[in-house]
Amino acid sequence: MENQAPERQPNIEASWLKVLSEEFSKPYFSELRQLLVEEKKVAKIYPPGSLIFNAFNKTPFDKVKVVILGQDPYHGAGQAEGLCFSVAKGITPPPSLINIFQELKIDLGITPPVHGSLVSWAESGVLLLNTALTVRAGQPASHRGKGWEIFTDRVISKLSEEKEHLVFLLWGKFAQEKEVMIDTSKHLVLKAAHPSPYSASAGFFGCRHFSKANAYLESNGISAIDWKIS
């Protein structure tokens, strides 16, 4: 039998490629690739292929200071840009993002921006990680349980194992289930209700996670995040 050609590496930033290289040759990741090939034959997939690993490309492994976990990308046209909670400029910010901006004002007095892109956070060291990295257009959660969670759980584990003094912001029950993968003896985990309109008033507003994250980073000799959105 002829040797199979190696799988092509995904378009992901070099420091992440080094940390995660073994994942890309595992059977579950090959199945993920095939899923996306088949899905694209019958449906529109978000975000576009060039942005699937945008969270990693905007925030290299060596630069991560804070991790925010989302579930899966926005499923509306033009919304998803590969960063959890973030939407491309020109797209109306969804309700959860509006509530995040409201808490930012409560906590740090930062005036909400006129757009919903969180690229400046990513470039400041905030890994904006969805646990599933793709979705079918108009079908939320359509790519959950297909293998992405294996990959992103490994991302969380690698961050916990190989780095120190990270801040994990876990908003809502789904994100908080990931706490078991985080070594809380060397990282800070901050938990609050999800910023969704259904739960923000029950424990998200007033959590002051932005200022708490910066206080922790600075207490460990790490520069603070610039939470002001450019």
Side-chain angles (χ1 to χ4, degrees):
M1 182 182 292
E2 294 183 2
N3 291 332
Q4 288 186 323
E7 294 272 17
R8 183 171 58 88
Q9 298 284 15
N11 179 25
I12 192 169
E13 187 273 335
S15 64
W16 280 108
L17 182 59
K18 181 179 179 181
V19 169
L20 298 170
S21 59
E22 292 182 1
E23 300 304 305
F24 303 128
S25 60
K26 290 181 178 178
Y28 83 86
F29 206 88
S30 295
E31 291 169 7
L32 260 176
R33 293 177 198 267
Q34 190 58 37
L35 167 74
L36 294 180
V37 168
E38 296 302 321
E39 284 281 88
K40 287 175 182 178
K41 293 177 181 178
V42 296
K44 187 80 172 175
I45 304 301
Y46 297 132
S50 62
L51 295 179
I52 289 174
F53 294 101
N54 200 29
F56 304 91
N57 296 334
K58 294 295 185 187
T59 316
F61 183 82
D62 304 328
K63 304 295 185 184
V64 177
K65 302 176 185 178
V66 174
V67 181
I68 298 177
L69 293 178
Q71 295 190 30
D72 56 349
Y74 295 119
H75 54 87
Q79 288 183 307
E81 59 176 3
L83 308 172
C84 75
F85 292 108
S86 180
V87 291
K89 290 182 179 180
I91 300 294
T92 301
S96 291
L97 184 54
I98 290 172
N99 286 340
I100 290 171
F101 292 156
Q102 185 173 336
E103 173 58 24
L104 196 61
K105 184 171 175 121
I106 293 169
D107 188 6
L108 296 174
I110 294 174
T111 301
V114 296
H115 62 83
S117 178
L118 303 179
V119 167
S120 64
W121 284 7
E123 293 175 341
S124 187
V126 183
L127 180 66
L128 297 164
L129 180 65
N130 277 314
T131 55
L133 300 188
T134 56
V135 70
R136 266 193 184 202
Q139 297 184 37
S142 49
H143 286 178
R144 286 192 211 162
K146 305 293 186 182
W148 278 127
E149 291 85 354
I150 301 172
F151 177 73
T152 53
D153 281 0
R154 190 62 182 146
V155 170
I156 296 167
S157 296
K158 280 287 190 179
L159 286 166
S160 178
E161 292 164 8
E162 298 192 17
K163 295 182 72 71
E164 292 185 347
H165 308 309
L166 297 180
V167 183
F168 291 83
L169 305 185
L170 306 184
W171 298 337
K173 183 176 181 292
F174 181 86
Q176 289 164 17
E177 290 173 350
K178 305 298 182 181
E179 185 178 8
V180 295
M181 290 176 281
I182 301 166
D183 183 349
T184 55
S185 71
K186 62 174 183 172
H187 303 293
L188 177 65
V189 172
L190 296 174
K191 295 183 284 188
H194 193 276
S196 160
Y198 299 105
S199 55
S201 297
F204 180 74
F205 292 137
C207 69
R208 300 193 177 274
H209 279 185
F210 304 108
S211 60
K212 289 176 181 177
N214 277 353
Y216 175 81
L217 292 172
E218 291 179 321
S219 72
N220 286 285
I222 301 168
S223 59
I225 298 294
D226 181 2
W227 293 108
K228 186 176 181 180
I229 296 167
S230 59

